[in-house]
């Protein structure tokens, strides 16, 4: 598993020069990925945590400075080197301001570049403090402590800003650990109701019989043990926000009662003859597929529509792995703040690669726990490395195509080869997700139905 070769992204628009530099760097043991434009560089950076980026400054589209800024913004630990042409010293200085480590001027001998690379890598090893950059990142990519820079998260921030101002009912869906509760709280804290209460109730954590009393309250003598009058959570949330967590686990009888609250904003405490009116904003959350439950008849359709006025869907972490470096940094900072005097810790790029390759079935919560654990493991060291990660994360690898694709003398059957690669990748993704087809499909950016179809086809063929 020794991945000691440094991963280097080379950005150069002139193909012959690019190929020449790439070949020479590869000779010296770098694992080089050459790309021909700033756009291509940004796309690769979103997917992979390179150790080093070497970029030409003058590029036809997005220029080298912007590439550097994006690379360093995303990975504070990456080493960025720019290559400048004649008379562009000023630009070189500008790109250093934007985060480049150093520059080399064209034309250069490969040894010159290698020397700059060596010294940069050495200095990086010595330097670990990046507080300034970190602070900047936090500011730009968060909403009430919710971190993210992926397209999905930026869209979420926008949506949250708009819906927070309203009193509309919101249904948050997402797998476990994707942040449903933090999002609900963020909405409340940005709403005109922020000075009132945010009352949360987890419908799956309370036995059915108690849940009703918990939600609606009761009057004295309503049932054995009801010694006094008691306001339920719905009433407690009057003028504020009621957060109904795991709403999918509610019995149909309770669903009917809840529907009335949503339609009429009124209800009776258990055992009460008097009707109570409330002004609550309802936010519900679930990690079950309510539409399917509606089809199966276990969730009331009318209630579903009442809840799903504004749907907020939180993407699984595996679908937005570009958020991982930022989240890692966020958790590192948080744990550090919690233990004053502890050393600054960074994550090695190789460890970051494994973190980004892993499928995270427990999503952000699992990532958070992983970082906490890694900090405990690496106690006192300034860098979290691969060995500080749990075994399953250590083993995670970016799916890369086989390094050697050979075209045999006699030619080959392209369709058959493509199919066998496809089949192999599908099998691996199912292995990794413990046979979960939905997650496997996500890993391969396929629709679940497409993956299922393909599996059926293979089965038909091997029988
Ligand atoms: N985008 C995010 N930025 C920062 N922290 C996050 C983010 N998403 C989730 N977290 C953190 O991850 C943990 C889990 O979040 P939360 O409890 O909101 O998840 P959930 O979707 O309600 O999970 P479950 O379905 O298991 O209840 C929390 O500690 C939360 O602070
Ligand atoms: Mg939750």
């Amino acid at each position: 598993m020794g991945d000691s070769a440094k991963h280097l992204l080379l950005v150069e628009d002139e193909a012959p020069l690019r190929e020449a530099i790439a070949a020479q760097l590869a000779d010296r043991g770098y694992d080089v990925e050459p790309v021909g434009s700033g756009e291509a560089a940004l796309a690769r950076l979103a997917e992979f945590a390179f150790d080093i980026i070497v970029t030409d400054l003058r590029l036809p589209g997005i220029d080298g400075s912007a590439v550097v800024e994006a690379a360093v913004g995303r990975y504070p630990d990456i080493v960025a080197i720019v290559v400048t042409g004649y008379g562009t010293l000023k630009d070189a200085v500008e790109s250093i301001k934007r985060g480049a480590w150093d520059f080399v001027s064209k034309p250069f001998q490969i040894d010159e570049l290698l020397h700059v690379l060596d010294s940069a890598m050495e200095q990086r090893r010595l330097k670990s403090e990046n507080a300034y950059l970190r602070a900047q990142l936090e500011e730009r990519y968060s909403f009430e402590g919710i971190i993210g820079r992926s397209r999905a998260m930026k869209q979420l921030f926008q949506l949250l800003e708009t819906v927070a101002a309203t009193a509309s009912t919101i249904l948050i869906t997402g797998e476990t650990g994707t942040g449903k509760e933090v999002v609900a709280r963020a909405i409340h804290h940005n709403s005109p109701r922020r000075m009132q209460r945010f009352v949360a109730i987890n419908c799956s954590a309370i036995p059915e019989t108690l849940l009703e009393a918990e939600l609606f309250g009761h009057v004295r003598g309503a049932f054995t043990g009801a010694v006094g009058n008691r306001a339920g959570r719905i009433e407690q949330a009057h003028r504020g926000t009621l957060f109904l967590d795991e709403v999918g686990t509610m019995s149909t009888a309770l669903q009917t009662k809840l529907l009335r609250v949503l339609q009429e904003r009124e209800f009776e405490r258990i055992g009460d003859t008097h009707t109570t009116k409330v002004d609550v904003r309802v936010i519900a959350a679930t990690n079950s597929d309510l539409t399917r439950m509606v089809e199966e008849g276990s969730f009331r359709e009318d209630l579903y529509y009442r809840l799903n006025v504004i749907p907020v869907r939180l993407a699984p972490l595996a679908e937005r792995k570009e958020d991982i470096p930022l989240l890692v940094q966020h958790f590192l900072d948080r744990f550090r703040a919690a233990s004053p005097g502890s050393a600054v810790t960074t994550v090695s790029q190789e460890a970051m690669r494994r973190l980004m390759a892993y499928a995270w079935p427990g999503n952000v919560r699992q990532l958070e726990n992983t970082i906490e654990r890694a900090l405990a493991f690496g106690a006192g060291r300034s860098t979290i490395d691969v060995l500080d990660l749990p075994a399953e994360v250590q083993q995670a690898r970016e799916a890369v195509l086989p390094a050697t694709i050979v075209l045999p003398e006699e030619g080959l059957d392209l369709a058959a080869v493509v199919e066998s690669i496809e089949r192999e990748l599908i099998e691996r993704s199912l292995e990794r997700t413990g046979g979960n087809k939905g997650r496997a499909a996500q890993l391969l950016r396929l629709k679940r139905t497409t993956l299922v179809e393909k599996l059926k086809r293979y089965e038909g063929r091997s029988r």
Side-chain angles (χ1 to χ4, degrees):
M1 299 242 295
D3 245 59
S4 57
K6 295 288 177 211
H7 293 266
L8 186 151
L9 181 64
L10 175 67
V11 197
E12 167 62 62
D13 57 321
E14 280 173 60
L17 184 59
R18 180 172 70 236
E19 295 313 323
I21 302 175
Q24 284 171 307
L25 287 172
D27 278 350
R28 305 300 177 99
Y30 287 94
D31 187 327
V32 186
E33 190 171 320
V35 293
S37 70
E39 288 77 1
L42 295 190
R44 276 306 282 151
L45 283 165
E47 292 171 340
F48 192 79
F50 289 91
D51 301 290
I52 305 164
I53 173 167
V54 175
T55 177
D56 194 5
L57 206 50
R58 292 263 165 96
L59 294 167
I62 297 175
D63 74 353
S65 277
V67 172
V68 166
E69 190 169 45
V72 176
R74 192 180 290 269
Y75 308 107
D77 258 10
I78 200 170
V79 168
I81 307 289
V82 293
V83 176
T84 63
Y86 289 115
T88 52
L89 192 61
K90 220 173 96 241
D91 298 340
V93 172
E94 175 60 28
S95 64
I96 284 179
K97 278 196 200 138
R98 294 219 212 170
W101 197 280
D102 208 341
F103 64 94
V104 286
S105 320
K106 270 184 194 172
F108 57 86
Q109 298 292 316
I110 192 71
D111 283 339
E112 212 178 310
L113 176 60
L114 287 167
H115 175 75
V116 168
L117 281 176
D118 283 347
S119 95
M121 295 304 284
E122 181 55 27
Q123 285 179 56
R124 189 190 75 168
R125 223 165 288 140
L126 299 174
K127 165 197 123 153
S128 53
E129 181 70 288
N130 260 312
Y132 170 71
L133 267 173
R134 274 204 292 276
Q136 270 196 331
L137 289 181
E138 292 262 329
E139 216 175 306
R140 266 184 289 168
Y141 306 113
S142 71
F143 182 91
E144 284 277 327
I146 307 169
I147 309 295
R149 62 179 302 157
S150 56
R151 212 158 62 126
M153 290 304 280
K154 284 186 188 155
Q155 279 171 355
L156 175 71
F157 297 158
Q158 251 176 16
L159 179 67
L160 294 187
E161 245 157 59
T162 2
V163 303
T166 72
S168 308
T169 304
I170 292 176
L171 179 63
I172 307 173
T173 53
E175 291 177 6
T176 180
T178 46
K180 295 186 291 295
E181 180 152 0
V182 282
V183 164
R185 289 180 188 278
I187 293 171
H188 174 72
H189 286 295
N190 281 276
S191 77
R193 295 168 179 256
R194 73 177 72 87
M195 302 306 286
Q196 307 295 329
R197 284 215 249 176
F198 175 87
V199 178
I201 181 162
N202 184 335
C203 304
S204 72
I206 301 173
E208 181 64 30
T209 44
L210 298 183
L211 183 58
E212 182 175 358
E214 203 50 46
L215 276 171
F216 296 93
H218 59 76
V219 293
R220 195 173 150 200
F223 48 82
T224 340
V227 281
N229 294 330
R230 188 161 167 271
R233 302 288 174 102
I234 298 174
E235 243 176 291
Q236 290 169 13
H238 183 52
R239 298 232 171 92
T241 304
L242 177 68
F243 177 48
L244 297 171
D245 206 355
E246 305 298 353
V247 73
T249 61
M250 221 179 239
S251 72
T252 36
L254 266 186
Q255 288 174 27
T256 309
K257 291 195 153 188
L258 178 62
L259 179 65
R260 178 163 164 235
V261 176
L262 288 170
Q263 278 172 339
E264 321 288 345
R265 305 284 153 176
E266 64 176 41
F267 65 94
E268 284 97 36
R269 287 185 185 183
I270 300 176
D272 201 351
T273 46
H274 162 264
T275 300
T276 307
K277 294 249 174 216
V278 277
D279 165 21
V280 287
R281 188 221 197 131
V282 175
I283 302 180
T286 179
N287 58 21
S288 38
D289 184 348
L290 286 189
T291 49
R292 186 172 301 173
M293 290 179 67
V294 167
E295 277 165 30
E296 289 165 355
S298 54
F299 202 83
R300 287 188 67 125
E301 186 170 18
D302 42 11
L303 178 59
Y304 173 70
Y305 287 116
R306 282 282 169 182
L307 289 174
N308 199 35
V309 178
I310 300 178
V312 173
R313 178 182 172 271
L314 300 182
L317 189 55
E319 275 179 24
R320 45 182 170 103
K321 60 182 178 176
E322 50 181 315
D323 287 338
I324 291 175
L326 207 62
L327 283 164
V328 166
Q329 199 58 64
H330 171 70
F331 294 133
L332 284 177
D333 290 347
R334 214 171 67 194
F335 292 127
R336 194 161 78 96
S339 53
S342 56
V344 179
T345 310
T346 56
V347 174
S348 77
Q349 289 291 84
E350 183 55 31
M352 188 65 85
R353 283 193 276 276
R354 308 288 166 96
L355 290 167
M356 288 172 77
Y358 183 62
W360 300 111
N363 295 293
V364 184
R365 180 183 295 112
Q366 190 190 2
L367 177 64
E368 185 175 359
N369 295 340
T370 300
I371 297 301
E372 184 170 14
R373 192 195 102 127
L375 276 176
F377 265 58
R381 271 185 286 121
S382 64
T383 306
I384 290 178
D385 221 326
V386 175
L387 292 176
D388 300 319
L389 303 174
E392 65 274 19
V393 181
Q394 283 186 29
Q395 279 147 24
R397 289 318 186 85
E398 220 206 16
V400 278
L401 286 174
T404 48
I405 294 181
V406 280
L407 177 58
E409 204 66 20
E410 69 281 10
L412 50 68
D413 178 347
L414 180 64
V417 172
V418 169
E419 185 181 309
S420 80
I421 293 178
E422 181 179 286
R423 199 165 167 165
E424 168 86 30
L425 288 172
I426 288 178
E427 272 163 18
R428 280 199 218 169
S429 64
L430 283 168
E431 246 167 53
R432 190 184 297 175
T433 59
N436 182 327
K437 289 178 190 144
R439 298 303 306 267
Q442 277 169 15
L443 277 178
L444 299 175
R445 323 277 189 271
L446 291 178
K447 278 199 256 169
R448 188 177 183 283
T449 47
T450 311
L451 182 121
V452 171
E453 266 165 35
K454 286 183 189 294
L455 282 172
K456 272 202 198 120
R457 208 177 322 134
Y458 296 150
E459 264 168 32
R461 214 155 300 164
S462 53
R463 291 289 133 84

